[in-house]
Amino acid sequence: MRRLLIQLLGIQLWVHTALGVKNPIISGWNPDPSILRVGDEYYLATSSFEYWPSTPIYKSKDLANWELYSHAITRPSQAQLFGTPTGAGTWAPTMSYINGKYYLAAMTRWTYDSVAKVWPRVMWICSDDLKAWSDPIWGDAWGIDPSLFQDPASQKVYLNVMAPNNNIDRVWGIYQCEVELGSGECTGKYRSLWNGTMPHNSSSRPEGPKMFKRDQRYYLLIAEGGTDDLHRASIARSSSPEGPWEPAPNNPILFNGAFGYDNLTVQSTGHATIFDTPNGDSYLVYLARRKINGSSPLGRETFLSPVDWKDGWPIVNGGNPILLSQSFGSVADQKAPPTPFIDMFDKPSLGPSWYQLRTPYTKGFHLQNGHKKGRGNGITFKPNVFGLGDRDTPAAVLRKQKSLNMTFSAQLLPTQSGLGYGETIGISAYLSELQHQIIGVSGCLNSTGMCIFTQIMMNSTTEYRQVPLNSTTIASNLFLHIRAKPLSYTFGYSFGKDGTKHWLSEVSSSWLAFAPTDWFVFTGASFALFATGTGRPWPPHAPKVGFAQVHETHFEENIPDYDRWAV
Ligand SMILES: *[C@@H]1O[C@H](CO)[C@@H](O)[C@H](O)[C@H]1NC(C)=O
Ligand SMILES: *[C@@H]1O[C@H](CO)[C@@H](O)[C@H](O)[C@H]1NC(C)=O
Ligand SMILES: *[C@@H]1O[C@H](CO)[C@@H](O)[C@H](O)[C@H]1NC(C)=O
Ligand SMILES: *[C@@H]1O[C@H](CO)[C@@H](O)[C@H](O)[C@H]1NC(C)=O
Ligand SMILES: *[C@@H]1O[C@H](CO)[C@@H](O)[C@H](O)[C@H]1NC(C)=O
Ligand SMILES: *[C@@H]1O[C@H](CO)[C@@H](O)[C@H](O)[C@H]1NC(C)=O
Ligand SMILES: *[C@@H]1O[C@H](CO)[C@@H](O)[C@H](O)[C@H]1NC(C)=O
Ligand SMILES: *[C@@H]1O[C@H](CO)[C@@H](O)[C@H](O)[C@H]1NC(C)=O
């Protein structure tokens, strides 16, 4: 790795100049990364909340280019996300290798409900190949962000978790017990490990504990400061996995907010894992937001930075702020912009980058096997009463938004007849059941015939716009488009892929970046294909609806290091 010392604003900066890894390493919302090296390959799991299948695992050989390898949770016997609101679901996976098997500890939170007081449940699953995973073992301990650590010296297995001190004060800290892997039981003392470095009261959130051993010392790496601007990573070390813990002199070891919350584009840096490459270089993977004019429509993405060791303490990125323009490492360059994504729905099953919402009761879609029947390919829906605004599984498939500068276009399948009002097929820029923007085709509102419409949600208001389709069926050349830019989403249609695009509505991207008051949204934007009866069963006389293809175009992302979009 080549580095260059520069003087900037009176600060000495080591700038890594070799072409190589650029951040984010996995774009689109992929929070809470946990990484495991297996030989010379890396596997990285991230949180997926209410999405299904759950808990994606990515694979890389060079740390720069990642492919979606598997999902850890694919069966209802592993997680029951029924009626799960956004912000709940399955999150904070940590992968470990214990007694010759891979383990993934995580938690599921079925709902938030101040009446039911449902707590997250801690669990772990295991696998021989990181592809096929067992049913869960439910842990005795309660809490958030569980991780399993096997002490290489004693072979004891510890569960480390963020937990409340009791159910009355609810002052959170990092807790631990030795566990029996097969039963989930705490077999050792349940102990408080560390409360982090920040003032310790009921609003502090020491979380995401990751434990590792290096040069005869044990390290406990945590996240602190909550999930927003104060998010950071801190570390402590000990001669025993049970403590006592000595905090690093340079904590927090990662915190871009130290340079101002509205200054650097990269913010909310934390929830990290440290690992070594086969040749002994250390790196940190962590989550961060790209904060564009104060908001981050892509949510929390996966980032990587180099780590140096000094006096047995890690120094992240030379102690310098994380900048998007920085690159490091000597590996092959990342493909940027990524190759366009095209799905003709011509495979026997849906590609792994498509998700459903919550644990599906029924599949809700069908891949039309066009080759055999002399028809085209496509995805057809079996629409139900539910839509994107319901806490259920609508007939919808979603793909994470991977770029801040792209288009998402979908070609509709032709229909045999028309749609009545409420019978809807469309696409969406989707954040949650509370915030999603739609362009679709349905029966017109207040008049006969079919219309192309947009439905834009801003806070609790919804803006509805429509144009008559002037046809009694959907033709095979109708395309719907979403143009996504850092600060806006624009919704339009064309006849023919390269036909003139007619733009109907535009909305600020900030409406897909914030939770409504008193709510949590931990995901980022996705694009959805969906169909719905809007509160009514799909009538037997209504036509079959679906899409023939999806086409994404990714443009270059010129996102500055400093969040200076307001001026
Ligand atoms: C962490 O805080 C809790 C609650 O105040 C306290 O009971 C516990 O002893 C503290 N743990 C450590 C390691 O200081
Ligand atoms: C906890 O401490 C922080 C920092 O002193 C303070 O800002 C916050 O209001 C405190 N929270 C509570 C619940 O006391
Ligand atoms: C914010 O960024 C500017 C450069 O645009 C720099 O001059 C300033 O010192 C930074 N503020 C802080 C608090 O680091
Ligand atoms: C539909 O009719 C209702 C009631 O008359 C009216 O409030 C609404 O503005 C109309 N909407 C459109 C899009 O025409
Ligand atoms: C959205 O609505 C909430 C509650 O009505 C309000 O407090 C908040 O300021 C609104 N946000 C914006 C950006 O208008
Ligand atoms: C349908 O016809 C009207 C009137 O000519 C026109 O304004 C509208 O754009 C047409 N709709 C579409 C989808 O082309
Ligand atoms: C988006 O892509 C266009 C076309 O390549 C380019 O002109 C523009 O600068 C890009 N915008 C951003 C914010 O990256
Ligand atoms: C950036 O956000 C501010 C308010 O937070 C708004 O006034 C301004 O118009 C936004 N800038 C752009 C270019 O959208």
Side-chain angles (χ1 to χ4, degrees):
M1 178 184 332
R2 239 166 16 100
R3 303 202 299 181
L4 194 69
L5 182 67
I6 63 164
Q7 289 280 135
L8 183 68
L9 314 160
I11 316 168
Q12 281 195 343
L13 289 181
W14 277 109
V15 177
H16 300 259
T17 56
L19 293 174
V21 183
K22 277 198 123 185
N23 280 311
I25 53 163
I26 305 179
S27 66
W29 63 274
N30 274 292
D32 309 330
S34 160
I35 195 166
L36 188 70
R37 176 164 70 81
V38 179
D40 61 356
E41 292 175 338
Y42 304 91
Y43 294 85
L44 188 152
T46 63
S47 294
S48 53
F49 300 94
E50 71 272 28
Y51 278 62
W52 191 272
S54 173
T55 316
I57 298 175
Y58 299 88
K59 178 183 171 180
S60 175
K61 277 182 175 297
D62 60 10
L63 297 173
N65 299 287
W66 294 82
E67 65 175 80
L68 185 53
Y69 177 72
S70 65
H71 288 90
I73 294 174
T74 55
R75 303 183 301 278
S77 59
Q78 294 170 299
Q80 296 80 44
L81 307 179
F82 297 117
T84 301
T86 186
T90 307
W91 80 82
T94 294
M95 290 190 289
S96 329
Y97 186 68
I98 303 173
N99 299 337
K101 261 188 189 298
Y102 300 104
Y103 281 82
L104 184 146
M107 42 166 286
T108 70
R109 176 159 211 156
W110 167 61
T111 189
Y112 292 93
D113 184 330
S114 55
V115 178
K117 290 209 165 123
V118 180
W119 283 89
R121 289 299 305 250
V122 163
M123 54 89 135
W124 52 86
I125 52 182
C126 63
S127 170
D128 291 321
D129 59 4
L130 293 154
K131 217 162 203 163
W133 291 87
S134 72
D135 279 350
I137 300 291
W138 297 97
D140 266 0
W142 68 349
I144 290 177
D145 300 355
S147 59
L148 294 170
F149 170 70
Q150 183 171 39
D151 180 1
S154 69
Q155 303 299 310
K156 285 185 185 175
V157 179
Y158 295 94
L159 172 69
N160 299 316
V161 66
M162 174 209 195
N165 62 336
N166 59 48
N167 207 8
I168 299 152
D169 315 328
R170 297 199 181 163
V171 181
W172 295 83
I174 308 298
Y175 285 76
Q176 177 189 72
C177 69
E178 193 189 333
V179 285
E180 216 266 299
L181 278 175
S183 68
E185 281 168 27
C186 278
T187 55
K189 186 172 179 286
Y190 183 66
R191 64 172 66 84
S192 161
L193 280 192
W194 191 30
N195 289 322
T197 66
M198 300 180 72
H200 194 232
N201 59 27
S202 61
S203 45
S204 54
R205 292 286 180 274
E207 58 191 9
K210 310 281 176 180
M211 193 171 274
F212 60 95
K213 191 177 184 211
R214 187 187 169 87
D215 296 339
Q216 305 312 312
R217 287 194 185 102
Y218 297 85
Y219 289 86
L220 179 58
L221 175 60
I222 66 166
E224 293 189 273
T227 51
D228 291 329
D229 287 338
L230 293 170
H231 200 59
R232 64 191 68 191
S234 301
I235 198 163
R237 72 186 184 195
S238 173
S239 58
S240 158
E242 301 178 3
W245 297 93
E246 175 200 359
N250 59 324
N251 276 328
I253 59 168
L254 174 72
F255 180 38
N256 251 24
F259 306 92
Y261 311 139
D262 297 314
N263 210 18
L264 295 164
T265 298
V266 177
Q267 291 289 336
S268 308
T269 49
H271 204 112
T273 317
I274 290 183
F275 67 98
D276 289 346
T277 63
N279 63 16
D281 292 335
S282 289
Y283 286 96
L284 185 85
V285 284
Y286 55 95
L287 68 79
R289 295 175 191 277
R290 284 187 279 173
K291 202 170 162 190
I292 312 294
N293 200 27
S295 67
S296 44
L298 268 51
R300 298 165 304 157
E301 304 172 279
T302 295
F303 279 60
L304 182 81
S305 288
V307 170
D308 299 312
W309 291 87
K310 191 163 174 280
D311 306 325
W313 293 112
I315 313 285
V316 179
N317 201 37
N320 300 310
I322 311 300
L323 302 177
L324 289 170
S325 60
Q326 188 188 352
S327 65
F328 51 85
S330 50
V331 297
D333 275 359
Q334 271 152 299
K335 289 172 199 81
T339 43
F341 173 83
I342 297 171
D343 199 334
M344 309 290 288
F345 303 108
D346 51 0
K347 307 282 182 321
S349 58
L350 196 62
S353 65
W354 291 103
Y355 291 89
Q356 287 183 273
L357 293 168
R358 308 174 182 86
T359 308
Y361 294 80
T362 54
K363 206 162 131 207
F365 64 87
H366 178 72
L367 291 171
Q368 202 168 282
N369 208 332
H371 290 317
K372 280 190 196 141
K373 295 175 188 153
R375 284 189 278 123
N377 294 305
I379 181 171
T380 56
F381 285 111
K382 191 177 180 307
N384 57 33
V385 298
F386 301 108
L388 295 175
D390 296 303
R391 285 180 193 165
D392 205 283
T393 303
V397 294
L398 299 90
R399 231 179 92 76
K400 291 175 187 179
Q401 183 184 340
K402 302 280 288 172
S403 164
L404 286 158
N405 198 10
M406 64 178 287
T407 55
F408 179 90
S409 301
Q411 179 185 14
L412 283 93
L413 284 170
T415 62
Q416 302 293 317
S417 59
L419 297 168
Y421 178 66
E423 296 157 20
T424 301
I425 169 103
I427 66 176
S428 172
Y430 178 94
L431 179 64
S432 72
E433 65 270 27
L434 306 161
Q435 299 134 295
H436 45 270
Q437 320 300 350
I438 287 171
I439 179 163
V441 180
S442 183
C444 300
L445 177 66
N446 297 347
S447 64
T448 54
M450 277 195 286
C451 282
I452 301 174
F453 73 96
T454 55
Q455 186 184 297
I456 303 298
M457 297 171 82
M458 292 170 291
N459 235 354
S460 48
T461 66
T462 299
E463 198 182 280
Y464 196 90
R465 233 176 247 175
Q466 62 181 14
V467 289
L469 186 61
N470 308 323
S471 163
T472 54
T473 60
I474 296 175
S476 62
N477 63 346
L478 178 57
F479 285 74
L480 301 177
H481 307 278
I482 302 175
R483 175 73 174 97
K485 292 181 184 171
L487 297 171
S488 64
Y489 292 90
T490 315
F491 300 83
Y493 63 91
S494 66
F495 293 99
K497 183 157 161 257
D498 302 315
T500 310
K501 292 187 179 72
H502 304 274
W503 299 108
L504 275 184
S505 295
E506 181 166 294
V507 66
S508 160
S509 64
S510 63
W511 291 109
L512 286 177
F514 289 114
T517 317
D518 297 330
W519 204 256
F520 303 107
V521 174
F522 294 139
T523 53
S526 295
F527 295 113
L529 306 176
F530 75 98
T532 176
T534 319
R536 290 165 179 243
W538 195 254
H541 59 78
K544 199 179 260 301
V545 288
F547 292 91
Q549 62 162 304
V550 161
H551 190 134
E552 287 181 1
T553 307
H554 298 241
F555 306 105
E556 59 182 316
E557 288 181 297
N558 301 313
I559 310 298
D561 285 333
Y562 292 89
D563 185 22
R564 297 278 180 270
W565 297 80
V567 289

